[in-house]
Amino acid sequence: MNDNVRVIAIDGPSGAGKSSVSRIVGERLGYLHVDSGALYRIMSWQCLENKVDTSSPSDVAACAEKVEVEFRVENGAIAYYVNGEAPGNKIRTPEINAVASPVATVKEVRDKITSILRSLTRFGNLVIEGRDITSAVFPDSPARFYLTASAEARAMRRRKEEVEKGIANQSVEAVKASLLARDKIDSSRKHAPLVKADGVIEIDSTELTLEEVVESVINSLPDGWK
Ligand code: DC
């Protein structure tokens, strides 16, 4: 990694507010926002498009190996393209939600995405959100955060987002069940599970506004990073 590049790493379970917080922190500081989960979703999408059996790690690994992702800097973030197409909401459906966690257990997929994420420092300072950014991808960053919230708060936020974007209209209970199922797989997998890594700053956003979380992150950054 380029030692002059700064990486703010934010991990946490689904729906904890990582995307909104990372995007705003990035905008305020001029750091590019990187959504690492979108890369796992892209691999899942490509598996489904190619009718790959997502319960077979070797088939998933073979599919992911062939996926070529192109990177562009757009609106303060790293945007992804596959065969010239921006995946948009195609990677946010309940079907992708259901396969993304199993796909993310596959070591070859994780290795490929970890190497992509590390290479993105070529674009400049980054704020990266995910599940293993603080523990495995950039464990040496001096700015590492673990963002969490109650399961109820997370399900309500995620449902609101899905309805507003016209992606799905499931009950809060269904969204919560899907979130918890993913949390369980993400936290118990063998390779780079979601953990609260040593030395991270934990922020519980259940009772906080988005602005309060953003301020808390920015105020906790090392001197000279703001
Ligand atoms: O953040 P998200 O819901 O878009 O992530 C989609 C899936 O990818 C999620 O089930 C966990 C996985 N993931 C991961 O294993 N490691 C990351 N750094 C980011 C996401």
Side-chain angles (χ1 to χ4, degrees):
M1 173 184 157
N2 178 343
D3 283 340
N4 298 318
V5 171
R6 295 165 179 174
V7 174
I8 300 172
I10 304 185
D11 283 330
S14 306
K18 300 185 298 292
S19 291
S20 312
V21 171
S22 309
R23 205 169 297 123
I24 298 175
V25 168
E27 271 169 23
R28 300 246 172 110
L29 304 179
Y31 287 32
L32 293 168
H33 171 230
V34 177
D35 175 0
S36 67
L39 290 168
Y40 288 94
R41 289 172 177 274
I42 283 174
M43 298 307 168
S44 309
W45 170 51
Q46 289 299 299
C47 285
L48 293 185
E49 290 278 297
N50 291 294
K51 312 257 179 299
V52 168
D53 174 6
T54 52
S55 65
S56 161
S58 57
D59 290 359
V60 167
C63 173
E65 194 198 344
K66 291 194 217 104
V67 178
E68 282 185 33
V69 185
E70 192 201 323
F71 309 95
R72 298 185 203 164
V73 174
E74 282 176 8
N75 306 318
I78 302 290
Y80 310 121
Y81 287 79
V82 178
N83 301 323
E85 182 187 356
N89 286 339
K90 282 187 185 165
I91 59 167
R92 307 277 162 201
T93 63
E95 292 72 30
I96 300 285
N97 288 344
V99 295
S101 289
V103 165
T105 63
V106 178
K107 184 172 187 309
E108 290 83 351
V109 175
R110 303 208 67 80
D111 288 348
K112 175 167 177 156
I113 291 177
T114 297
S115 130
I116 286 175
L117 292 170
R118 290 184 180 147
S119 77
L120 294 178
T121 55
R122 70 188 184 276
F123 290 104
N125 294 337
L126 307 174
V127 48
I128 310 189
E129 49 149 321
R131 302 293 189 292
D132 65 339
I133 312 304
T134 60
S135 57
V137 184
F138 289 103
D140 298 328
S141 164
R144 295 179 303 135
F145 297 87
Y146 188 85
L147 194 56
T148 182
S150 71
E152 288 68 30
R154 295 190 286 120
M156 284 193 308
R157 288 175 193 163
R158 190 45 67 89
R159 178 178 188 278
K160 185 164 174 269
E161 194 180 296
E162 288 182 356
V163 172
E164 279 171 4
K165 290 187 178 165
I167 297 170
N169 192 354
Q170 311 174 89
S171 67
V172 177
E173 280 314 308
V175 176
K176 185 173 160 189
S178 155
L179 284 182
L180 292 178
R182 282 191 287 146
D183 286 354
K184 193 166 174 211
I185 301 175
D186 294 340
S187 309
S188 60
R189 69 179 173 229
K190 184 169 170 213
H191 307 290
L194 170 66
V195 289
K196 191 163 41 135
D198 282 348
V200 295
I201 295 170
E202 182 173 0
I203 302 173
D204 183 336
S205 72
T206 310
E207 305 288 339
L208 300 179
T209 63
L210 180 56
E211 182 57 31
E212 285 171 328
V213 181
V214 167
E215 275 175 25
S216 173
V217 168
I218 292 180
N219 290 337
S220 309
L221 293 173
D223 289 343
W225 279 44
K226 300 164 212 176

